[in-house]
Amino acid sequence: VVCPVMGKDLGTRFLPYFLAIFFFILFINLMGLIPHSATATTSIWITGALAAITLAMMIVGGMIVQGPVAFWKNLVPHVPLAMWPLMFVVELAGLVVKPFALMIRLFATISGGHMVVLSFMGLIFFFGAQFSPAAGWASAPLWVGFGVFIMIIEAFVAMLQAFIFTQLSVIFVNASLHPEH
């Protein structure tokens, strides 16, 4: 994932960071599937911290590779001088929005799967309270079956989200290191 995007030389230098991010997200997502545990990425603060680290890697890495002045100068493509201030604001917003999108994507996907499972489990209690306890018990195998099915899908989603976060982080950091405007 890293070397095809960043190249062999640069990719090997950044590989430990991206491996750490991938396995951290993977393990905390999979640990959240264990009964009576919680997934850390359902906290916006955890996903925000991961995104902030990626943003710092983008900005600091870009300034180290290009130089501080060249990084900020290359942030805006070649445009007429009158448009430069507006384009600087737009490009600066784009720089911040990329990690923000990583944060929201990871948080919403993992939280959404948990909400679906909780909704299926809640239907047992809904049927028990709305109709009778016997209706709740009778419908329980169906809703538990759906919950187990979603948990199996969540295991796949946990792996997929670790990969997506890492892949997009690699792309965003590489784009900051090598501007292609």
Side-chain angles (χ1 to χ4, degrees):
V1 169
V2 178
C3 289
V5 173
M6 299 184 93
K8 183 99 171 128
D9 182 44
L10 197 58
T12 53
R13 287 194 279 171
F14 279 94
L15 189 62
Y17 165 71
F18 291 118
L19 280 174
I21 288 292
F22 174 79
F23 283 111
F24 176 74
I25 294 171
L26 178 66
F27 288 139
I28 62 175
N29 284 345
L30 290 177
M31 284 185 347
L33 299 178
I34 298 170
H36 303 293
S37 66
T39 305
T41 53
T42 58
S43 168
I44 197 74
W45 297 105
I46 299 295
T47 58
L50 292 169
I53 292 169
T54 299
L55 178 63
M57 293 284 289
M58 291 167 62
I59 293 172
V60 173
M63 287 194 295
I64 289 172
V65 170
Q66 298 176 49
V69 174
F71 174 77
W72 295 108
K73 188 181 91 176
N74 291 334
L75 190 63
V76 178
H78 300 290
V79 295
L81 189 58
M83 288 185 61
W84 196 90
L86 175 65
M87 288 303 296
F88 181 77
V89 172
V90 169
E91 292 293 332
L92 189 62
L95 187 68
V96 174
V97 164
K98 290 174 187 175
F100 182 76
L102 286 175
M103 173 184 75
I104 296 299
R105 177 182 288 118
L106 182 60
F107 169 74
T109 305
I110 301 302
S111 297
H114 288 11
M115 290 298 159
V116 171
V117 171
L118 289 174
S119 297
F120 283 139
M121 296 302 112
L123 285 172
I124 297 169
F125 298 105
F126 172 76
F127 276 85
Q130 190 69 23
F131 301 110
S132 71
W137 283 102
S139 67
L142 175 68
W143 303 126
V144 169
F146 281 143
V148 169
F149 175 71
I150 296 298
M151 289 293 285
I152 292 168
I153 292 174
E154 274 198 87
F156 171 71
V157 168
M159 292 181 261
L160 184 65
Q161 285 303 311
F163 173 76
I164 289 172
F165 191 96
T166 305
Q167 177 72 39
L168 290 175
S169 292
V170 168
I171 291 169
F172 295 159
V173 169
N174 186 56
S176 289
L177 300 180
H178 304 292
E180 299 178 8
H181 291 294

Coordinates of all heavy atoms in Angstrom, one line a residue, residues 85-179:
P85 N -5.4 35.0 -3.1 CA -5.9 34.9 -1.7 C -7.1 34.0 -1.5 O -7.2 33.3 -0.6 CB -6.3 36.4 -1.4 CG -5.5 37.2 -2.3 CD -5.4 36.4 -3.6
L86 N -8.1 34.1 -2.5 CA -9.2 33.2 -2.4 C -8.8 31.7 -2.5 O -9.3 30.9 -1.8 CB -10.2 33.6 -3.5 CG -11.5 32.7 -3.6 CD1 -12.3 32.7 -2.3 CD2 -12.3 33.0 -4.8
M87 N -7.9 31.5 -3.5 CA -7.5 30.1 -3.7 C -6.7 29.6 -2.5 O -6.7 28.4 -2.2 CB -6.7 30.0 -5.0 CG -7.5 30.1 -6.3 SD -8.8 28.9 -6.4 CE -7.9 27.4 -6.4
F88 N -5.9 30.5 -1.8 CA -5.2 30.0 -0.7 C -6.2 29.6 0.4 O -6.0 28.5 1.0 CB -4.3 31.2 -0.1 CG -3.5 30.8 1.1 CD1 -2.4 30.0 0.9 CD2 -3.9 31.1 2.4 CE1 -1.7 29.6 2.0 CE2 -3.2 30.8 3.5 CZ -2.0 30.0 3.3
V89 N -7.3 30.3 0.6 CA -8.3 29.9 1.6 C -8.9 28.6 1.2 O -9.1 27.7 2.1 CB -9.3 31.0 1.8 CG1 -10.5 30.6 2.7 CG2 -8.7 32.3 2.4
V90 N -9.2 28.4 0.0 CA -9.9 27.2 -0.5 C -8.9 26.0 -0.4 O -9.3 24.9 0.1 CB -10.3 27.4 -2.0 CG1 -10.7 26.0 -2.6 CG2 -11.5 28.4 -2.1
E91 N -7.7 26.2 -0.8 CA -6.7 25.1 -0.6 C -6.4 24.8 0.8 O -6.2 23.6 1.2 CB -5.4 25.4 -1.4 CG -5.6 25.5 -2.9 CD -5.9 24.1 -3.5 OE1 -5.5 23.1 -2.9 OE2 -6.5 24.1 -4.5
L92 N -6.3 25.8 1.7 CA -6.1 25.6 3.1 C -7.3 24.8 3.7 O -7.1 23.8 4.5 CB -5.9 26.9 3.8 CG -5.5 26.8 5.3 CD1 -4.1 26.2 5.4 CD2 -5.4 28.2 5.9
A93 N -8.5 25.1 3.3 CA -9.7 24.4 3.8 C -9.6 23.0 3.3 O -9.9 22.0 4.0 CB -11.0 25.1 3.3
G94 N -9.2 22.8 2.0 CA -9.1 21.4 1.4 C -8.0 20.6 2.2 O -8.2 19.4 2.4
L95 N -7.0 21.2 2.7 CA -5.9 20.5 3.4 C -6.5 20.0 4.7 O -6.2 18.9 5.2 CB -4.8 21.5 3.7 CG -3.5 21.0 4.3 CD1 -2.8 20.0 3.4 CD2 -2.6 22.1 4.7
V96 N -7.4 20.8 5.4 CA -8.0 20.4 6.7 C -9.1 19.4 6.5 O -9.3 18.5 7.3 CB -8.4 21.7 7.4 CG1 -9.2 21.3 8.7 CG2 -7.2 22.5 7.8
V97 N -9.9 19.6 5.4 CA -11.0 18.7 5.2 C -10.7 17.3 4.9 O -11.4 16.4 5.3 CB -11.9 19.3 4.0 CG1 -12.9 18.3 3.5 CG2 -12.6 20.6 4.4
K98 N -9.5 17.0 4.3 CA -9.1 15.6 4.0 C -9.0 14.8 5.3 O -9.7 13.7 5.4 CB -7.8 15.6 3.2 CG -8.0 16.1 1.8 CD -6.6 16.2 1.1 CE -6.7 16.9 -0.2 NZ -5.4 17.1 -0.8
P99 N -8.3 15.2 6.3 CA -8.2 14.4 7.5 C -9.6 14.4 8.3 O -10.0 13.5 8.9 CB -7.2 15.1 8.4 CG -6.3 15.9 7.5 CD -7.2 16.3 6.3
F100 N -10.3 15.5 8.2 CA -11.7 15.6 8.8 C -12.6 14.5 8.2 O -13.3 13.8 8.9 CB -12.3 17.0 8.6 CG -13.6 17.1 9.2 CD1 -13.8 17.3 10.6 CD2 -14.8 17.1 8.4 CE1 -15.0 17.4 11.2 CE2 -16.0 17.2 9.0 CZ -16.2 17.4 10.4
A101 N -12.5 14.3 6.8 CA -13.2 13.3 6.2 C -12.8 11.9 6.7 O -13.6 11.0 6.8 CB -13.1 13.4 4.7
L102 N -11.5 11.7 6.9 CA -11.0 10.4 7.5 C -11.7 10.2 8.8 O -12.1 9.1 9.1 CB -9.5 10.5 7.6 CG -8.6 10.3 6.4 CD1 -7.2 10.5 6.8 CD2 -8.8 9.0 5.7
M103 N -11.7 11.2 9.7 CA -12.2 11.1 11.0 C -13.7 10.7 11.0 O -14.1 9.8 11.6 CB -12.1 12.5 11.7 CG -12.8 12.5 13.1 SD -12.6 14.1 13.8 CE -13.8 15.1 12.9
I104 N -14.5 11.4 10.2 CA -15.9 11.2 10.1 C -16.2 9.8 9.5 O -17.1 9.1 10.0 CB -16.6 12.3 9.3 CG1 -16.5 13.6 10.0 CG2 -18.1 12.0 9.1 CD1 -17.1 13.7 11.4
R105 N -15.5 9.4 8.5 CA -15.7 8.1 7.8 C -15.5 7.0 8.8 O -16.4 6.1 8.9 CB -14.8 8.0 6.6 CG -14.9 6.7 5.9 CD -13.9 6.5 4.8 NE -14.3 7.4 3.7 CZ -13.6 8.4 3.2 NH1 -12.5 8.7 3.7 NH2 -14.1 9.1 2.2
L106 N -14.4 7.0 9.5 CA -14.1 5.9 10.5 C -15.1 5.9 11.6 O -15.7 4.9 11.9 CB -12.7 6.1 11.0 CG -12.2 5.0 12.0 CD1 -12.2 3.7 11.3 CD2 -10.8 5.4 12.4
F107 N -15.4 7.1 12.2 CA -16.4 7.2 13.3 C -17.8 6.7 12.9 O -18.4 5.9 13.6 CB -16.4 8.6 13.8 CG -17.5 8.9 14.8 CD1 -17.4 8.4 16.1 CD2 -18.6 9.6 14.4 CE1 -18.5 8.7 17.0 CE2 -19.6 9.9 15.3 CZ -19.6 9.4 16.6
A108 N -18.3 7.2 11.8 CA -19.6 6.9 11.3 C -19.8 5.5 10.9 O -20.8 4.9 11.3 CB -20.0 7.8 10.2
T109 N -18.8 4.9 10.3 CA -19.0 3.5 9.8 C -19.0 2.6 11.0 O -19.8 1.7 11.1 CB -17.8 3.2 8.9 OG1 -17.8 4.1 7.8 CG2 -18.0 1.8 8.3
I110 N -18.1 2.7 11.9 CA -18.0 1.8 13.1 C -19.2 2.1 14.0 O -19.9 1.1 14.4 CB -16.7 2.0 13.8 CG1 -15.5 1.7 12.9 CG2 -16.6 1.1 15.0 CD1 -15.5 0.3 12.3
S111 N -19.6 3.3 14.2 CA -20.8 3.6 15.1 C -22.0 3.1 14.4 O -22.9 2.6 15.1 CB -20.9 5.1 15.3 OG -19.8 5.6 16.0
G112 N -22.2 3.2 13.1 CA -23.4 2.8 12.4 C -23.6 1.3 12.6 O -24.7 0.9 12.8
G113 N -22.6 0.5 12.4 CA -22.7 -0.9 12.6 C -23.1 -1.3 14.0 O -24.0 -2.2 14.2
H114 N -22.6 -0.6 15.0 CA -23.0 -0.9 16.4 C -24.5 -0.5 16.6 O -25.2 -1.2 17.3 CB -22.1 -0.2 17.3 CG -20.7 -0.8 17.5 ND1 -20.2 -1.7 16.6 CD2 -19.7 -0.5 18.4 CE1 -19.0 -2.0 17.0 NE2 -18.7 -1.3 18.0
M115 N -24.9 0.6 16.0 CA -26.3 1.0 16.1 C -27.2 0.0 15.5 O -28.3 -0.2 16.0 CB -26.5 2.4 15.5 CG -25.8 3.5 16.3 SD -26.5 3.6 17.9 CE -25.2 4.5 18.7
V116 N -26.9 -0.6 14.4 CA -27.7 -1.6 13.8 C -27.9 -2.8 14.7 O -29.0 -3.3 14.9 CB -27.2 -2.0 12.4 CG1 -27.9 -3.1 11.8 CG2 -27.3 -0.8 11.4
V117 N -26.8 -3.2 15.2 CA -26.9 -4.4 16.2 C -27.7 -4.1 17.4 O -28.6 -4.8 17.8 CB -25.5 -4.8 16.6 CG1 -25.5 -5.9 17.7 CG2 -24.7 -5.4 15.4
L118 N -27.5 -2.9 18.0 CA -28.3 -2.5 19.1 C -29.8 -2.3 18.7 O -30.7 -2.6 19.6 CB -27.8 -1.2 19.7 CG -26.4 -1.3 20.4 CD1 -25.9 0.1 20.8 CD2 -26.6 -2.2 21.6
S119 N -30.1 -1.9 17.5 CA -31.5 -1.8 17.1 C -32.1 -3.1 17.0 O -33.3 -3.3 17.4 CB -31.5 -1.1 15.7 OG -31.0 0.3 15.8
F120 N -31.4 -4.1 16.5 CA -32.0 -5.4 16.4 C -32.2 -6.0 17.8 O -33.3 -6.6 18.0 CB -31.1 -6.4 15.6 CG -31.2 -6.2 14.1 CD1 -30.0 -6.2 13.3 CD2 -32.4 -6.0 13.5 CE1 -30.1 -6.1 12.0 CE2 -32.5 -5.8 12.1 CZ -31.3 -5.9 11.3
M121 N -31.3 -5.8 18.7 CA -31.5 -6.3 20.1 C -32.6 -5.5 20.8 O -33.4 -6.1 21.5 CB -30.2 -6.2 20.9 CG -29.0 -7.0 20.4 SD -29.4 -8.7 20.3 CE -29.4 -9.0 18.6
G122 N -32.8 -4.3 20.4 CA -33.8 -3.5 21.0 C -35.2 -3.9 20.6 O -36.2 -3.7 21.3
L123 N -35.3 -4.5 19.4 CA -36.6 -5.0 18.9 C -37.1 -6.1 19.7 O -38.3 -6.3 19.8 CB -36.4 -5.4 17.4 CG -36.3 -4.3 16.4 CD1 -36.0 -4.8 15.0 CD2 -37.6 -3.5 16.4
I124 N -36.2 -6.9 20.3 CA -36.7 -7.9 21.3 C -37.5 -7.3 22.4 O -38.6 -7.7 22.7 CB -35.5 -8.7 21.8 CG1 -34.8 -9.5 20.7 CG2 -36.0 -9.7 22.9 CD1 -33.5 -10.1 21.1
F125 N -36.9 -6.3 23.0 CA -37.6 -5.6 24.1 C -38.8 -4.8 23.7 O -39.8 -4.7 24.4 CB -36.6 -4.7 24.8 CG -35.4 -5.4 25.4 CD1 -34.2 -5.4 24.8 CD2 -35.6 -6.2 26.5 CE1 -33.1 -6.1 25.3 CE2 -34.5 -6.9 27.1 CZ -33.3 -6.9 26.5
F126 N -38.8 -4.3 22.4 CA -39.9 -3.6 21.9 C -41.1 -4.5 21.8 O -42.2 -4.2 22.2 CB -39.6 -2.9 20.6 CG -40.8 -2.3 19.9 CD1 -41.3 -1.1 20.3 CD2 -41.4 -3.0 18.8 CE1 -42.4 -0.6 19.7 CE2 -42.5 -2.5 18.2 CZ -43.0 -1.3 18.6
F127 N -40.9 -5.7 21.2 CA -42.0 -6.7 21.0 C -42.4 -7.2 22.3 O -43.6 -7.4 22.5 CB -41.5 -7.8 20.1 CG -41.6 -7.6 18.7 CD1 -40.6 -6.9 18.0 CD2 -42.7 -8.0 17.9 CE1 -40.7 -6.7 16.6 CE2 -42.8 -7.7 16.6 CZ -41.8 -7.1 15.9
G128 N -41.5 -7.3 23.3 CA -41.9 -7.8 24.6 C -42.8 -6.7 25.4 O -43.7 -7.1 26.1
A129 N -42.5 -5.5 25.2 CA -43.2 -4.4 25.9 C -44.5 -4.0 25.1 O -45.5 -3.8 25.8 CB -42.3 -3.2 26.0
Q130 N -44.4 -4.1 23.8 CA -45.6 -3.6 23.0 C -46.7 -4.7 23.0 O -47.9 -4.3 23.1 CB -45.1 -3.3 21.6 CG -46.2 -2.6 20.7 CD -46.4 -1.2 21.2 OE1 -45.6 -0.6 21.8 NE2 -47.6 -0.7 20.9
F131 N -46.3 -5.9 22.9 CA -47.3 -7.0 22.7 C -47.4 -7.8 24.0 O -48.4 -7.8 24.7 CB -47.0 -7.9 21.5 CG -47.0 -7.1 20.2 CD1 -45.8 -6.9 19.6 CD2 -48.1 -6.5 19.7 CE1 -45.7 -6.1 18.4 CE2 -48.1 -5.8 18.5 CZ -46.8 -5.6 17.9
S132 N -46.4 -8.6 24.2 CA -46.3 -9.4 25.5 C -44.9 -10.0 25.6 O -44.2 -10.0 24.6 CB -47.3 -10.6 25.4 OG -46.9 -11.6 24.4
P133 N -44.6 -10.4 26.8 CA -43.2 -10.9 27.0 C -43.0 -12.2 26.1 O -41.9 -12.4 25.6 CB -43.2 -11.3 28.5 CG -44.1 -10.3 29.1 CD -45.2 -10.1 28.1
A134 N -44.1 -12.9 25.9 CA -44.0 -14.1 25.0 C -43.6 -13.7 23.6 O -42.8 -14.4 22.9 CB -45.3 -14.9 25.0
A135 N -44.2 -12.6 23.1 CA -43.8 -12.1 21.8 C -42.3 -11.7 21.7 O -41.7 -11.9 20.7 CB -44.7 -10.9 21.4
G136 N -41.8 -11.1 22.7 CA -40.4 -10.8 22.8 C -39.5 -12.0 22.7 O -38.6 -12.1 22.0
W137 N -39.9 -13.0 23.5 CA -39.1 -14.3 23.5 C -39.3 -15.0 22.2 O -38.3 -15.6 21.7 CB -39.6 -15.2 24.6 CG -39.1 -14.8 26.0 CD1 -39.7 -14.1 27.0 CD2 -37.7 -15.0 26.5 NE1 -38.9 -13.9 28.0 CE2 -37.7 -14.4 27.8 CE3 -36.6 -15.6 26.0 CZ2 -36.5 -14.5 28.5 CZ3 -35.5 -15.6 26.7 CH2 -35.4 -15.1 28.0
A138 N -40.4 -14.9 21.6 CA -40.7 -15.6 20.3 C -39.9 -15.0 19.2 O -39.4 -15.6 18.3 CB -42.2 -15.7 20.0
S139 N -39.8 -13.6 19.2 CA -39.1 -12.9 18.1 C -37.5 -12.9 18.4 O -36.8 -12.5 17.5 CB -39.6 -11.5 18.0 OG -39.3 -10.7 19.1
A140 N -37.1 -13.3 19.6 CA -35.7 -13.1 19.9 C -34.8 -13.9 19.0 O -33.7 -13.3 18.5 CB -35.4 -13.6 21.3
P141 N -35.1 -15.1 18.6 CA -34.1 -15.8 17.7 C -33.9 -15.1 16.3 O -32.8 -15.1 15.8 CB -34.8 -17.2 17.4 CG -35.6 -17.4 18.6 CD -36.1 -16.0 19.0
L142 N -35.0 -14.5 15.8 CA -34.9 -13.8 14.5 C -33.9 -12.6 14.7 O -33.0 -12.4 13.9 CB -36.2 -13.3 14.1 CG -36.3 -12.4 12.8 CD1 -35.8 -13.2 11.6 CD2 -37.6 -11.8 12.7
W143 N -34.2 -11.8 15.8 CA -33.4 -10.5 15.9 C -32.0 -10.8 16.4 O -31.0 -10.2 15.9 CB -34.1 -9.6 16.9 CG -35.5 -9.3 16.5 CD1 -36.6 -9.4 17.3 CD2 -35.9 -8.7 15.3 NE1 -37.7 -9.0 16.6 CE2 -37.3 -8.6 15.3 CE3 -35.2 -8.4 14.1 CZ2 -38.0 -8.1 14.3 CZ3 -36.0 -7.9 13.0 CH2 -37.4 -7.7 13.1
V144 N -31.8 -11.9 17.1 CA -30.4 -12.3 17.5 C -29.7 -12.8 16.3 O -28.5 -12.5 16.0 CB -30.4 -13.3 18.6 CG1 -29.0 -14.0 18.8 CG2 -30.9 -12.7 19.9
G145 N -30.4 -13.5 15.4 CA -29.8 -14.0 14.1 C -29.3 -12.8 13.3 O -28.2 -12.8 12.7
F146 N -30.2 -11.8 13.2 CA -29.8 -10.6 12.4 C -28.6 -9.9 13.0 O -27.7 -9.4 12.3 CB -31.0 -9.6 12.3 CG -32.0 -10.0 11.2 CD1 -33.3 -9.8 11.4 CD2 -31.6 -10.6 10.0 CE1 -34.3 -10.1 10.5 CE2 -32.5 -10.9 9.0 CZ -33.9 -10.7 9.3
G147 N -28.6 -9.8 14.4 CA -27.5 -9.2 15.1 C -26.2 -9.9 14.8 O -25.2 -9.3 14.6
V148 N -26.2 -11.3 14.9 CA -25.0 -12.0 14.6 C -24.5 -11.8 13.2 O -23.4 -11.7 12.9 CB -25.3 -13.5 14.9 CG1 -24.1 -14.4 14.4 CG2 -25.5 -13.7 16.4
F149 N -25.5 -11.8 12.2 CA -25.1 -11.5 10.8 C -24.5 -10.2 10.7 O -23.4 -10.0 10.0 CB -26.4 -11.6 10.0 CG -26.2 -11.2 8.5 CD1 -25.5 -12.1 7.7 CD2 -26.7 -10.0 8.0 CE1 -25.2 -11.7 6.4 CE2 -26.4 -9.7 6.7 CZ -25.7 -10.5 5.9
I150 N -25.0 -9.1 11.3 CA -24.4 -7.8 11.3 C -23.0 -7.8 12.0 O -22.1 -7.2 11.5 CB -25.3 -6.7 11.9 CG1 -26.6 -6.6 11.1 CG2 -24.6 -5.4 12.0 CD1 -26.4 -6.2 9.6
M151 N -22.8 -8.6 13.0 CA -21.5 -8.6 13.7 C -20.5 -9.3 12.8 O -19.3 -8.9 12.8 CB -21.6 -9.4 15.0 CG -22.4 -8.7 16.1 SD -21.6 -7.3 16.7 CE -20.3 -8.0 17.7
I152 N -20.9 -10.3 12.0 CA -20.0 -10.9 11.0 C -19.6 -9.8 10.0 O -18.4 -9.7 9.6 CB -20.6 -12.1 10.4 CG1 -20.8 -13.2 11.4 CG2 -19.8 -12.6 9.2 CD1 -21.6 -14.4 11.0
I153 N -20.6 -9.1 9.5 CA -20.2 -8.0 8.6 C -19.4 -6.9 9.2 O -18.4 -6.4 8.6 CB -21.5 -7.4 8.0 CG1 -22.3 -8.4 7.2 CG2 -21.3 -6.1 7.3 CD1 -23.6 -7.9 6.7
E154 N -19.6 -6.7 10.5 CA -18.8 -5.7 11.2 C -17.3 -6.1 11.3 O -16.4 -5.3 11.3 CB -19.3 -5.4 12.6 CG -20.4 -4.4 12.7 CD -20.6 -3.9 14.1 OE1 -19.9 -2.9 14.5 OE2 -21.5 -4.4 14.7
A155 N -17.1 -7.4 11.4 CA -15.7 -7.9 11.4 C -15.0 -7.6 10.1 O -13.8 -7.1 10.1 CB -15.6 -9.4 11.7
F156 N -15.7 -7.7 9.0 CA -15.1 -7.4 7.7 C -15.0 -5.8 7.6 O -13.9 -5.4 7.1 CB -16.1 -7.9 6.6 CG -15.7 -7.3 5.3 CD1 -14.5 -7.8 4.6 CD2 -16.5 -6.4 4.6 CE1 -14.2 -7.3 3.4 CE2 -16.1 -5.9 3.4 CZ -15.0 -6.3 2.8
V157 N -16.0 -5.1 8.1 CA -15.9 -3.6 8.1 C -14.7 -3.1 8.9 O -14.1 -2.1 8.5 CB -17.2 -3.0 8.5 CG1 -17.1 -1.5 8.7 CG2 -18.3 -3.3 7.4
A158 N -14.5 -3.8 10.0 CA -13.3 -3.3 10.9 C -12.0 -3.4 10.1 O -11.2 -2.5 10.2 CB -13.3 -4.2 12.2
M159 N -11.8 -4.5 9.4 CA -10.6 -4.7 8.6 C -10.6 -3.7 7.4 O -9.6 -3.1 7.1 CB -10.5 -6.1 8.1 CG -10.3 -7.1 9.2 SD -10.1 -8.8 8.6 CE -11.7 -9.4 8.9
L160 N -11.7 -3.5 6.8 CA -11.8 -2.7 5.6 C -11.6 -1.2 6.0 O -10.9 -0.5 5.3 CB -13.2 -2.8 5.0 CG -13.4 -2.0 3.7 CD1 -12.5 -2.5 2.6 CD2 -14.9 -2.1 3.3
Q161 N -12.1 -0.8 7.2 CA -11.9 0.6 7.6 C -10.5 0.9 8.0 O -9.9 2.0 7.8 CB -12.8 1.0 8.7 CG -14.3 1.2 8.3 CD -14.4 2.3 7.2 OE1 -13.8 3.3 7.4 NE2 -15.1 1.9 6.2
A162 N -9.8 -0.1 8.6 CA -8.4 0.1 8.9 C -7.6 0.3 7.6 O -6.7 1.1 7.5 CB -7.8 -1.1 9.7
F163 N -7.9 -0.5 6.6 CA -7.2 -0.4 5.3 C -7.6 0.9 4.6 O -6.6 1.6 4.1 CB -7.7 -1.6 4.3 CG -7.1 -1.4 3.0 CD1 -5.8 -1.7 2.7 CD2 -8.0 -1.0 1.9 CE1 -5.3 -1.5 1.4 CE2 -7.5 -0.8 0.7 CZ -6.1 -1.1 0.4
I164 N -8.8 1.3 4.6 CA -9.2 2.6 4.0 C -8.6 3.8 4.6 O -8.0 4.7 4.0 CB -10.7 2.7 3.9 CG1 -11.3 1.7 2.9 CG2 -11.2 4.1 3.6 CD1 -12.9 1.6 3.0
F165 N -8.6 3.8 6.0 CA -8.0 4.9 6.7 C -6.5 5.0 6.3 O -5.9 6.1 6.1 CB -8.2 4.8 8.2 CG -7.8 6.0 9.0 CD1 -8.7 6.9 9.4 CD2 -6.5 6.3 9.3 CE1 -8.4 8.1 10.1 CE2 -6.1 7.4 10.1 CZ -7.1 8.3 10.4
T166 N -5.8 3.9 6.3 CA -4.4 3.9 6.0 C -4.1 4.2 4.6 O -3.2 5.1 4.3 CB -3.8 2.5 6.3 OG1 -4.1 2.1 7.7 CG2 -2.3 2.4 6.1
Q167 N -4.9 3.7 3.7 CA -4.7 4.0 2.2 C -4.9 5.5 2.0 O -4.1 6.1 1.3 CB -5.6 3.2 1.4 CG -5.5 3.5 -0.1 CD -4.3 2.9 -0.7 OE1 -3.8 1.9 -0.4 NE2 -3.7 3.7 -1.6
L168 N -5.9 6.1 2.5 CA -6.2 7.5 2.2 C -5.2 8.3 2.9 O -4.8 9.4 2.4 CB -7.6 7.9 2.7 CG -8.7 7.3 1.8 CD1 -10.1 7.6 2.4 CD2 -8.6 7.8 0.4
S169 N -4.7 7.9 4.1 CA -3.6 8.7 4.8 C -2.4 8.7 4.0 O -1.7 9.7 3.8 CB -3.3 8.1 6.2 OG -4.4 8.3 7.0
V170 N -2.0 7.5 3.4 CA -0.9 7.4 2.5 C -1.0 8.4 1.3 O -0.1 9.1 1.0 CB -0.6 6.0 2.0 CG1 0.4 5.9 0.9 CG2 -0.2 5.1 3.1
I171 N -2.2 8.4 0.7 CA -2.4 9.3 -0.5 C -2.3 10.7 -0.1 O -1.7 11.5 -0.7 CB -3.8 8.9 -1.1 CG1 -3.7 7.5 -1.8 CG2 -4.2 10.0 -2.1 CD1 -5.0 7.0 -2.2
F172 N -2.9 11.1 1.1 CA -2.9 12.5 1.5 C -1.5 13.0 1.9 O -1.1 14.1 1.5 CB -3.9 12.7 2.7 CG -5.3 12.5 2.3 CD1 -6.3 12.2 3.3 CD2 -5.8 12.5 1.0 CE1 -7.6 12.0 3.0 CE2 -7.1 12.3 0.7 CZ -8.0 12.0 1.7
V173 N -0.8 12.1 2.6 CA 0.6 12.5 3.0 C 1.5 12.6 1.8 O 2.2 13.6 1.6 CB 1.2 11.5 4.0 CG1 2.6 11.8 4.3 CG2 0.4 11.7 5.4
N174 N 1.3 11.7 0.8 CA 2.1 11.7 -0.4 C 1.8 13.0 -1.2 O 2.7 13.6 -1.8 CB 1.9 10.5 -1.2 CG 2.8 10.4 -2.4 OD1 4.1 10.5 -2.3 ND2 2.3 10.3 -3.6
A175 N 0.5 13.3 -1.3 CA 0.1 14.5 -2.0 C 0.7 15.8 -1.4 O 1.0 16.8 -2.1 CB -1.4 14.6 -2.1
S176 N 0.9 15.8 -0.1 CA 1.5 17.0 0.6 C 3.0 17.0 0.4 O 3.6 18.1 0.4 CB 1.2 16.9 2.1 OG -0.2 17.2 2.3
L177 N 3.6 15.9 0.3 CA 5.0 15.8 0.1 C 5.4 16.2 -1.4 O 6.5 16.8 -1.6 CB 5.6 14.4 0.4 CG 5.4 13.9 1.8 CD1 6.0 12.6 2.0 CD2 6.0 14.9 2.8
H178 N 4.6 15.8 -2.3 CA 4.9 16.0 -3.7 C 3.7 16.7 -4.4 O 2.8 16.0 -4.9 CB 5.1 14.7 -4.4 CG 6.2 13.9 -3.8 ND1 7.5 14.3 -3.8 CD2 6.2 12.7 -3.1 CE1 8.3 13.4 -3.2 NE2 7.5 12.5 -2.8
P179 N 3.6 18.0 -4.3 CA 2.4 18.7 -4.9 C 2.4 18.5 -6.5 O 3.5 18.5 -7.1 CB 2.7 20.2 -4.6 CG 4.1 20.3 -4.4 CD 4.6 18.9 -3.9

